[in-house]
Amino acid sequence: MQCPNGHTICVVCKSKVQNSCPICRQELGNIRCLALEKVAESIELPCKYHYLGCQDIFPYHSRIRHEENCKYRGYNCPYAGTECFVTGDIPFLVAHLKADHNVDMHDGSTFNHRYVKPNPHEIENATWMLTIFNCYGYQFCLHFEAFHLGMAPVYMAFLRFMGDENDASKFSYSLEVGANGRKLKWQGVPRSIRDSHKTVRDSLDGLIITRNIALFFSGGDRRELKLKVAGRIWREQT
């Protein structure tokens, strides 16, 4: 914007000076300086995530669109037990999960985890466990939780990849649970932590175990949940 004497000010700052030119005190009005707008549009700026590795440079408006989906933008903390607003790159989040959420870290691409709950009939929407696995130079988040699917109580296990969608698509994983000569198995592609925990859970993209089947696999008098979930992560051949 410009005042009658030709002094210019951006529209954001115009609202801060009560519509009075800070140089000559004339009323600013609504006169646009089109020439300066053209100059501003031609200026190229680096992505605000350049400190995380992005080397791209854009005109102002293109830069804003790029930053919304820049692959170098920070990731949200994948911990789902409590609401956490921490963001950062992957090494920072791994350290954060270990220090602030006491998440278990394991090396290797195969695992066996046992989940025990004394009274499985008291099922509520709850995240029970998050475990991080380091393999192939990346980190994977194993989630296991209980919630209601409609009126039915279920347990769900699924894997998320600590990185972007392109790298996540290079891997597959399997989860299985069983006992008494029966087995229930899931195979899929880990979802990037760009997808929120709730998005993945609500899409049912993982191993779903109804309570009756879970108690059958637990054995005994069906009064205690004792599930053993085995899994494997592998890199797909390209």
Side-chain angles (χ1 to χ4, degrees):
M1 313 300 290
Q2 64 182 10
C3 76
N5 292 322
H7 302 128
T8 56
I9 190 170
C10 78
V11 69
V12 175
C13 291
K14 178 177 180 256
S15 64
K16 299 177 181 178
V17 296
Q18 290 77 46
N19 204 39
S20 174
C21 175
I23 297 176
C24 67
R25 305 304 176 188
Q26 290 285 324
E27 184 177 351
L28 285 169
N30 293 304
I31 303 172
R32 290 171 59 186
C33 181
L34 299 180
L36 198 54
E37 286 184 12
K38 291 293 184 182
V39 172
E41 288 175 357
S42 68
I43 296 175
E44 294 188 334
L45 301 169
C47 171
K48 70 178 180 181
Y49 300 113
H50 65 90
Y51 70 98
L52 292 175
C54 184
Q55 301 297 313
D56 294 331
I57 297 176
F58 300 91
Y60 178 74
H61 293 294
S62 299
R63 173 193 169 201
I64 294 175
R65 290 192 296 270
H66 161 81
E67 288 173 350
E68 291 175 351
N69 296 292
C70 177
K71 69 177 183 179
Y72 292 98
R73 71 190 188 278
Y75 294 89
N76 295 324
C77 173
Y79 190 78
T82 57
E83 196 169 24
C84 182
F85 298 102
V86 169
T87 62
D89 61 14
I90 299 303
F92 172 81
L93 287 182
V94 170
H96 161 71
L97 287 167
K98 187 174 182 179
D100 298 326
H101 296 300
N102 297 315
V103 170
D104 289 334
M105 305 277 177
H106 298 277
D107 295 326
S109 59
T110 60
F111 50 87
N112 285 280
H113 272 269
R114 185 176 296 275
Y115 301 99
V116 178
K117 186 173 178 63
N119 189 353
H121 294 278
E122 295 180 355
I123 189 169
E124 296 179 357
N125 292 343
T127 298
W128 286 8
M129 186 175 292
L130 170 64
T131 306
I132 304 297
F133 294 96
N134 301 298
C135 56
Y136 304 105
Y138 294 95
Q139 288 75 39
F140 299 80
C141 302
L142 175 64
H143 297 265
F144 185 84
E145 59 185 78
F147 62 99
H148 282 87
L149 184 57
M151 297 296 293
V154 298
Y155 306 98
M156 182 176 179
F158 57 93
L159 205 69
R160 287 201 292 165
F161 176 79
M162 295 190 70
D164 64 24
E165 298 87 347
N166 290 333
D167 286 332
S169 66
K170 300 174 184 176
F171 295 91
S172 294
Y173 75 101
S174 64
L175 297 171
E176 63 179 53
V177 60
N180 304 317
R182 279 80 171 176
K183 184 183 296 183
L184 190 62
K185 184 174 181 178
W186 165 265
Q187 181 173 319
V189 176
R191 298 278 286 273
S192 165
I193 59 172
R194 292 282 187 216
D195 293 332
S196 71
H197 164 268
K198 185 177 186 300
T199 297
V200 180
R201 192 195 73 178
D202 291 351
S203 68
L204 305 180
D205 194 0
L207 177 65
I208 306 291
I209 312 163
T210 64
R211 185 169 66 190
N212 285 338
I213 292 178
L215 292 175
F216 173 77
F217 286 153
S218 297
D221 56 8
R222 298 168 65 93
R223 293 182 180 179
E224 185 176 34
L225 180 73
K226 293 181 179 179
L227 280 181
K228 181 181 178 182
V229 178
R232 182 171 72 92
I233 305 166
W234 66 93
R235 188 195 295 269
E236 292 290 352
Q237 298 297 321
T238 57

